[in-house]
Amino acid sequence: MIKTPYYLLNLQRLSANLNGLRVAFSTLWSNFLIGYSFKTNNLPWLTKWMHLNGTFAEVVSSAEYQQAKRVGFPINNIIFNGPVKGNEALLEAVKNGAIVNLDNFEEIEYLIQNLDCKIEQYEVGIRINFDLESVCPAETIPGKEPGRFGFNVENGDFEKAIHLLKKAGIKVVGIHGHHSTRTKSLKVFSVITSEICLLLHFLDKVKYIDLGGCIFGDKPGAPSFDEYASTVINILKANKVPSSVKLIMEPGAALVASPFSYVCKVVSRKDINGTRLVFTDGSIKHITSQMNTIKFASNCSSKSENIIHRQIISGYTCIEMDRFLEYIDKPELEIGDTITVSNTGAYSLSLAPLFIEFFPQVVVNDHDKLKVVREVWSINEFMQNNILDQ
Ligand SMILES: *Cc1c(COP(=O)(O)O)cnc(C)c1O
């Protein structure tokens, strides 16, 4: 049975996003691969769907790596990134042909000490860290602070890492250049691609170029998949990168933000000082757990002809600012009306806390057929692994 609050996944929209990205890139570069970023939305049903629809898993921790295996990704369909992978998972991934992008010298040392005598057969990639901010001012997340991820090019760490791996016999076959930015601009992608092209000659053999994620999806007015693809691939061609080199993108939000919405129900109302406070069984914590905006697209089921000047739609938590929509001069919301907030697929479900309530349901809409793919949590799931002995 479906019950509010719940996340609702529109499967046709998800398919359209994935196909759109795939067609845009593979038309221009046939050796193209998508690694779905687990952290953006780690719903198990969704990650399995990605596997069944031909993406690789892009994971950044032992926990995500285990999930990828559990939902069916073979290890050689996993891209393993991240600064803290966990040694056991790192070793297993390298030994079994995952695409592993190393992030620090400790990982290199660990692999050199723990890979067996057939060390020459193993391949890894390297994540680069370079001063993107100086070429794209105000676009990066850390700004003038150094980025945390990968081997820095300017201070010599990148070359040192290559040297250490080569000396040990481990082949370096790929470069990973993901950068989170505020802008997701075409310029960011052209700068990252150019930087990678400059570094390719350091590799033993170039098997892949991984540009990471942080691109727009179907957001109106933003760069399109076609524009990202042509920007990047023109640079690869200008640099005479052979077409045998695999081009990898690791989208998260671009695929999953728009297909999800969040549905909750009105449970009570108060009028205070000219404002109608509308309480729902949902929460801003399920929409944006950082609570950084109340600007969401939404619609509601209200059939009332009564127009209310100002309605504030709020949640079940005891946080004063659990308010997620402001309706001005809109039909009166009545008890039992549902409110649907759009574009809630990225960094919502995977960041939702177990705060005050249990995790909500997730429902898939496939051509208007609804199916529950995650049951609401109960006290049983909440209590698992707890030890009450005093
Ligand atoms: C977060 C992340 C992504 C996906 O980012 P989106 O903004 O959701 O597209 C891809 N690759 C890496 C390494 C990441 O950390």
Side-chain angles (χ1 to χ4, degrees), residues 295-299 325 340-343:
K295 286 195 192 121
F296 303 104
S298 72
N299 58 68
L325 292 167
T340 305
V341 183
S342 314
N343 299 318

Side-chain angles (χ1 to χ4, degrees), residues 37 39-40 58 60 81 127 176 178 184 212-215 250-254 347:
S37 158
K39 75 165 189 285
T40 308
E58 190 273 321
V60 294
N81 299 321
R127 180 162 179 175
H176 178 241
H178 174 82
K184 310 184 180 190
C214 205
I215 59 175
E250 301 172 345
Y347 305 103

Side-chain angles (χ1 to χ4, degrees), residues 54-258:
T55 80
F56 278 33
E58 190 273 321
V59 304
V60 294
S61 67
S62 290
E64 289 188 346
Y65 175 79
Q66 288 170 42
Q67 188 194 336
K69 290 200 295 178
R70 181 70 70 92
V71 302
F73 288 92
I75 294 177
N76 64 3
N77 284 17
I78 296 176
I79 303 170
F80 204 172
N81 299 321
V84 185
K85 298 177 176 73
N87 284 338
E88 211 176 302
L90 169 65
L91 192 62
E92 182 186 282
V94 171
K95 283 186 170 177
N96 290 280
I99 294 173
V100 178
N101 295 309
L102 301 179
D103 203 87
N104 55 61
F105 287 113
E106 286 67 25
E107 290 180 340
I108 294 179
E109 265 163 46
Y110 179 80
L111 286 179
I112 290 173
Q113 275 163 26
N114 290 277
L115 283 172
D116 42 49
C117 49
K118 294 175 291 181
I119 200 160
E120 296 79 24
Q121 73 187 32
Y122 297 117
E123 297 178 340
V124 296
I126 286 200
R127 180 162 179 175
I128 54 163
N129 174 311
F130 70 101
D131 189 2
L132 178 62
E133 177 71 15
S134 69
V135 202
C136 299
E139 294 199 51
T140 69
I141 303 281
K144 292 193 163 54
E145 288 289 314
R148 290 203 300 132
F149 307 115
F151 293 89
N152 186 254
V153 175
E154 291 91 2
N155 74 0
D157 279 355
F158 172 76
E159 274 188 66
K160 197 168 141 198
I162 296 259
H163 177 72
L164 284 171
L165 288 161
K166 275 190 181 171
K167 207 172 74 182
I170 302 172
K171 294 197 176 59
V172 184
V173 298
I175 295 184
H176 178 241
H178 174 82
H179 281 74
S180 287
T181 61
R182 299 176 199 284
T183 55
K184 310 184 180 190
S185 70
L186 296 173
K187 183 174 174 196
V188 160
F189 280 86
S190 89
V191 171
I192 295 172
T193 311
S194 300
E195 179 75 18
I196 290 176
C197 287
L198 281 177
L199 300 172
L200 288 177
H201 69 274
F202 285 107
L203 272 53
D204 294 288
K205 176 170 194 260
V206 186
K207 286 199 168 174
Y208 68 88
I209 292 174
D210 185 340
L211 295 174
C214 205
I215 59 175
F216 284 110
D218 48 1
K219 186 174 174 174
S224 65
F225 290 152
D226 286 329
E227 289 174 297
Y228 286 114
S230 60
T231 299
V232 160
I233 291 160
N234 284 340
I235 293 171
L236 297 184
K237 288 182 174 163
N239 283 278
K240 306 212 159 34
V241 174
S243 60
S244 58
V245 172
K246 200 181 279 302
L247 174 61
I248 303 174
M249 294 296 292
E250 301 172 345
L255 299 182
V256 301
S258 67

Side-chain angles (χ1 to χ4, degrees), residues 325-363:
L325 292 167
E326 180 182 40
Y327 280 5
I328 301 291
D329 295 330
K330 292 234 185 135
E332 177 173 29
L333 286 161
E334 289 169 312
I335 306 303
D337 281 346
T338 56
I339 294 161
T340 305
V341 183
S342 314
N343 299 318
T344 56
Y347 305 103
S348 50
L349 187 151
S350 56
L351 280 170
L354 275 169
F355 178 64
I356 301 190
E357 269 294 351
F358 304 132
F359 290 140
Q361 253 183 357
V362 185
V363 178

